Amino acid sequence: MIKITNLHKHFGKLEILKGIDMEIAKGEVVVVIGPSGSGKSTFLRCLNLLEVPTKGTIEFEGANITDKKYNINETREKMGMVFQQFNLFPHMSVMNNITLSPVKVKKMAKPEAEKIAADLLNQVGLADKKDAYPSQLSGGQKQRIAIARALAMQPHVMLFDEPTSALDPEMVGEVLDVMKHLAAAGMTMVIVTHEMGFAREVGDRIVFMDGGFIVEEGDPNEVFNHPKHPRTQEFLSKVL
Ligand code: ADP
Ligand code: MG
């Protein structure tokens, strides 16, 4: 589904991504781990071109989306993204947060968008919050709404950037549960997280990044039980 070749990203003179190669298959759950500042967010943001790569190519469903002639808006609709800081629209009800893009961007009829939104609210366990405003929700509820909002665009892949890092500990589980269900339903996902138990349980593949490189990747049991690279060993010894 996604093929990344020799991806580089500079900010001015700083080289943040130093040649990333990765292939992601349909239905695969790739979990990216690594120390702060290693380039994980930059990598995710390059995938949907929130950041423009300096060098390298990203192919998505057969199209080279890094080609300047390519219409990235079309691709962005197929890539849902969930951030650490929920980014809900504060002045809109939960229902309007979820239906906004399907109606505005996809030109979906409002009743249809509302029906899809109601299904998604059921899926994330928040059917009773459709008329609430973000300020009336807990962090865990906000993040589940943010996931529902991304899913409302019927994306082909979901990108998660530390979706539970801003949450109080007791709310982490409810968000991870929603993500587990999504993975079990076959969604293609790329997840940056520090939740190692979740990574081991849900990841088809673990990618360890450090210093703008992929240092090691593989099956969760391999990477967690028998990390090969000293940097992976050092990182895991601190977080496990
Ligand atoms: P991670 O998500 O692994 O913590 P990031 O991708 O956020 O790492 O950041 C990697 C490095 O890139 C950091 O040193 C950060 O300061 C730098 N960086 C990220 N975004 C920008 C930007 N827009 N301009 C300049 N430097 C940036
Ligand atoms: Mg980050």
Side-chain angles (χ1 to χ4, degrees):
M1 179 180 264
I2 306 176
K3 183 174 182 196
I4 300 140
T5 311
N6 195 26
L7 178 69
H8 288 251
K9 177 65 186 177
H10 295 243
F11 290 111
K13 284 198 177 110
L14 264 183
E15 189 174 32
I16 303 301
L17 299 180
K18 300 174 181 165
I20 304 276
D21 295 290
M22 194 189 295
E23 287 187 40
I24 300 162
K26 187 167 160 38
E28 196 177 10
V29 177
V30 176
V31 178
V32 181
I33 62 173
S36 178
S38 56
K40 304 180 301 295
S41 294
T42 304
F43 170 66
L44 268 196
R45 294 166 62 82
C46 279
L47 279 186
N48 63 0
L49 301 190
L50 282 178
E51 299 288 355
V52 180
T54 311
K55 199 168 106 183
T57 57
I58 301 168
E59 289 160 75
F60 177 66
E61 297 182 331
N64 176 6
I65 65 172
T66 34
D67 188 327
K68 287 198 174 56
K69 294 190 289 274
Y70 193 76
N71 176 9
I72 183 56
N73 290 327
E74 213 173 285
T75 300
R76 282 214 186 102
E77 290 174 27
K78 296 178 191 156
M79 296 184 170
M81 186 147 182
V82 174
F83 303 88
Q84 187 174 338
Q85 301 293 345
F86 336 116
N87 297 348
L88 295 176
F89 305 115
H91 58 292
M92 283 185 192
S93 70
V94 161
M95 181 53 85
N96 285 335
N97 262 280
I98 299 174
T99 57
L100 181 73
S101 288
V103 170
K104 288 258 179 218
V105 181
K106 276 198 159 174
K107 311 292 179 207
M108 195 181 282
K110 183 94 188 212
E112 193 194 344
E114 287 181 344
K115 190 177 168 299
I116 291 172
D119 284 346
L120 288 168
L121 283 171
N122 261 323
Q123 238 183 77
V124 302
L126 291 170
D128 57 332
K129 297 292 183 194
K130 71 180 171 62
D131 298 319
Y133 282 79
S135 62
Q136 300 168 308
L137 303 174
S138 71
Q141 291 171 336
K142 280 185 213 171
Q143 194 60 300
R144 284 185 281 154
I145 298 298
I147 294 171
R149 183 178 61 175
L151 291 172
M153 289 297 278
Q154 298 167 313
H156 298 188
V157 56
M158 286 284 285
L159 311 176
F160 292 88
D161 193 358
E162 297 195 30
T164 60
S165 292
L167 299 178
D168 291 333
E170 74 270 23
M171 293 171 187
V172 168
E174 66 196 54
V175 172
L176 295 181
D177 279 344
V178 167
M179 295 168 67
K180 279 179 205 170
H181 280 119
L182 258 187
M187 177 61 80
T188 310
M189 299 161 77
V190 184
I191 305 168
V192 175
T193 186
H194 294 293
E195 295 291 333
M196 297 300 153
F198 169 82
R200 189 196 284 257
E201 184 184 337
V202 176
D204 294 311
R205 182 160 34 125
I206 305 296
V207 173
F208 173 66
M209 277 183 71
D210 195 12
F213 291 105
I214 294 176
V215 171
E216 181 164 351
E217 66 179 305
D219 176 82
N221 285 324
E222 272 302 301
V223 174
F224 285 118
N225 297 341
H226 311 286
K228 288 187 189 69
H229 200 286
R231 269 145 77 190
T232 320
Q233 291 165 1
E234 191 203 345
F235 176 74
L236 290 176
S237 75
K238 286 182 190 149
V239 298
L240 285 181

